Amino acid sequence: MSFKPNTSLSNALIVGLGLGGGLIFAVFYTVISVYFAFNAIFVIPPNFNAALPFREGLASVKINDYWGYIDKTGQTVIPPKFEKANSFKEGVALVKIGEEWSYINKSGQKVFKPRTEIDFGILQQNTYPSMWSISHESDSLKEGLVIRDNGKKCGYFNKNGSEITKLQFYDCQPSSEGLIGVKPDSKWGYIRNPLR
């Protein structure tokens, strides 16, 4: 006489394990979401008058009246000495010192001047305001996060509408390279994107 396993019991056990795994994941995801909804953890303290998203590992930040660049640890890589400072693209950034516009490399050295007025046209279209403001939520979906703004404060939700951080910041940037520029009071800082 051979042993024949009870297939209905085996199937019930497999389904139960599957539901259990899904339930564990759902509970874990909810706990993480609630934690970040109440505690936006700063990985770079809010010490900046203005800040732009990270591009190619560096972010342009304004300290007092001048712009410089920091890395993802918050260390100054290029000291603040620019009147304007674009984000890096393909290893260079367009900056303004006094009346002179130049491209710099990631060491802060001038590499060349703009070749045509097209560069200045692009800069004028992307001139950095003192504060970033995203009015359309669909435009603000980056790296799984959506900016929500009630006109007074902003925060982040995931694309399913679950709250990730409360509406607690005066200004919010889209997530970029896993970090998010936010303004909790008069200065800017960066928090980590919990979905990355």
Side-chain angles (χ1 to χ4, degrees), residues 108-129:
Q109 300 168 329
K110 294 179 187 177
V111 288
F112 58 92
K113 291 185 179 182
R115 293 172 299 181
T116 67
E117 292 183 12
I118 293 173
D119 291 325
F120 291 111
I122 291 169
L123 181 69
Q124 292 303 317
Q125 291 172 13
N126 297 316
T127 299
Y128 301 136

Side-chain angles (χ1 to χ4, degrees), residues 137 140-147 156-159 162 164-165 173-175 180 191-195:
E137 290 178 10
S140 71
L141 174 62
K142 301 286 185 214
E143 299 184 343
L145 293 180
V146 177
I147 297 171
Y156 296 88
F157 290 71
N158 67 20
K159 59 186 177 182
S162 298
I164 301 298
T165 68
Q173 295 178 356
S175 179
I180 309 163
I191 60 174
R192 192 172 304 285
N193 181 343
L195 303 182

Side-chain angles (χ1 to χ4, degrees), residues 40-136:
I41 300 172
F42 281 91
V43 291
I44 300 173
N47 297 323
F48 311 108
N49 297 92
L52 299 175
F54 275 87
R55 298 282 187 266
E56 299 186 12
L58 298 178
S60 179
V61 295
K62 189 174 186 182
I63 301 172
N64 298 323
D65 295 329
Y66 294 97
W67 289 86
Y69 294 86
I70 61 169
D71 63 17
K72 289 187 177 183
T73 67
Q75 296 298 311
T76 301
V77 176
I78 302 171
K81 58 184 176 183
F82 309 110
E83 276 80 9
K84 298 203 185 243
N86 244 328
S87 295
F88 274 88
K89 184 176 181 183
E90 297 183 23
V92 297
L94 186 60
V95 297
K96 181 182 180 187
I97 300 178
E99 295 302 313
E100 182 180 304
W101 290 92
S102 296
Y103 283 97
I104 60 168
N105 62 21
K106 290 186 178 181
S107 298
Q109 300 168 329
K110 294 179 187 177
V111 288
F112 58 92
K113 291 185 179 182
R115 293 172 299 181
T116 67
E117 292 183 12
I118 293 173
D119 291 325
F120 291 111
I122 291 169
L123 181 69
Q124 292 303 317
Q125 291 172 13
N126 297 316
T127 299
Y128 301 136
S130 59
M131 292 178 19
W132 261 59
S133 179
I134 307 256
S135 58
H136 302 292

Side-chain angles (χ1 to χ4, degrees), residues 179-195:
L179 294 174
I180 309 163
V182 292
K183 187 178 180 186
D185 48 44
S186 62
K187 302 282 187 181
W188 285 82
Y190 293 86
I191 60 174
R192 192 172 304 285
N193 181 343
L195 303 182

